[in-house]
Amino acid sequence: MQIADVQEQIDHELVSSQQIERKIRQVAAQVSHDYQGRRPLLVAVLKGAVNTLVALSQAMTIDAQIDFMSLSSYGSGSSSSGRITVRQDLSTDVKGRNVLIVEDIIDSGYTLDWTVRELKRRGAASVEVFALLEKPARRKVEVPVKYKGFEVPDEFVVGFGLDYDERFRNLDSIAVLKPEVYEGSLV
Ligand code: PRP
């Protein structure tokens, strides 16, 4: 799905599909080089990171394993807190593995901070992070991000995995939602 298909709900585009593709291709080349001979385990936290994980893994030139985790965070409203529970766990034992966590966005950083610490606790040989987007204005906890995508302003962004109420995940770019949509006056 493209911006033109949902232009009534979208305020403006932030990152085009071409920019996303180019960035992911660069990161995939770097990751393929860095993990040569080590067959990394790519871990995506559902659901938002799925698009990025698929794009990254397909652009890589080395074999990689993929796995998924579903987490619940409890907090007020739409922002997460530090309390996280596992809704659906990985099917892989990460002990001794070189893990690359793939995220669509880092907001407060709580989700990523918990995930990195949990995978290290389980005995991963290494844990690194690729985040397609970061919202620095909202950061509460710092987590080292080795592979970086784009910084975005503190606005309601959707697309390429990111949703509003489960909508717009299949948009091929990253865009800012019109406030009328989440304020309820525009469906
Ligand atoms: C989003 C995103 C990250 C997390 C980032 O997931 O995919 O996992 O929030 O926020 P944080 O840095 O404040 O922890 P969300 O909980 O919205 O679930 P979804 O991916 O299924 O939409």
Side-chain angles (χ1 to χ4, degrees):
M1 184 167 79
Q2 302 180 335
I3 294 266
D5 300 309
V6 280
Q7 58 188 7
E8 211 190 322
Q9 286 85 19
I10 296 302
D11 193 85
H12 61 280
E13 184 178 82
L14 269 185
V15 190
S16 71
S17 61
Q18 291 83 356
Q19 287 174 297
I20 295 172
E21 200 188 313
R22 202 176 316 128
K23 178 71 74 178
I24 290 181
R25 228 185 299 123
Q26 287 166 359
V27 172
Q30 189 63 49
V31 166
S32 301
H33 173 266
D34 293 350
Y35 288 90
Q36 188 71 49
R38 292 197 290 161
R39 196 163 166 270
L41 174 65
L42 309 182
V43 168
V45 177
L46 295 170
K47 302 174 186 173
V50 167
N51 299 50
T52 304
L53 178 128
V54 169
L56 178 76
S57 65
Q58 290 189 347
M60 284 169 62
T61 55
I62 60 167
D63 190 26
Q65 192 179 337
I66 62 171
D67 208 343
F68 303 91
M69 230 179 170
S70 177
L71 306 175
S72 309
S73 59
Y74 298 96
S76 53
S78 59
S79 65
S80 58
S81 72
R83 284 185 296 152
I84 286 168
T85 57
V86 178
R87 201 187 290 142
Q88 185 194 308
D89 210 339
L90 298 171
S91 62
T92 313
D93 180 0
V94 302
K95 198 167 174 27
R97 299 298 303 272
N98 293 289
V99 179
L100 177 60
I101 299 170
V102 178
E103 263 294 18
D104 51 336
I105 190 163
I106 308 174
D107 200 332
S108 67
Y110 286 133
T111 306
L112 190 57
D113 178 57
W114 182 90
T115 311
V116 170
R117 283 189 287 108
E118 175 63 14
L119 299 187
K120 284 183 176 166
R121 190 189 65 77
R122 295 181 187 186
S126 66
V127 181
E128 299 291 354
V129 176
F130 168 41
L132 182 65
L133 304 178
E134 292 187 61
K135 245 187 206 178
R138 304 256 298 200
R139 192 62 64 83
K140 291 278 192 290
V141 51
E142 279 311 318
V143 188
V145 177
K146 184 164 184 182
Y147 306 98
K148 288 174 173 287
F150 304 93
E151 289 194 353
V152 293
D154 191 10
E155 293 181 288
F156 205 124
V157 293
V158 295
F160 213 77
L162 290 147
D163 73 310
Y164 162 65
D165 200 16
E166 297 299 330
R167 299 164 63 191
F168 310 107
R169 286 197 201 271
N170 61 322
L171 184 62
D172 68 356
S173 59
I174 306 285
V176 174
L177 197 60
K178 277 187 185 164
E180 300 94 287
V181 178
Y182 52 84
E183 283 162 3
S185 59
L186 177 66
V187 178

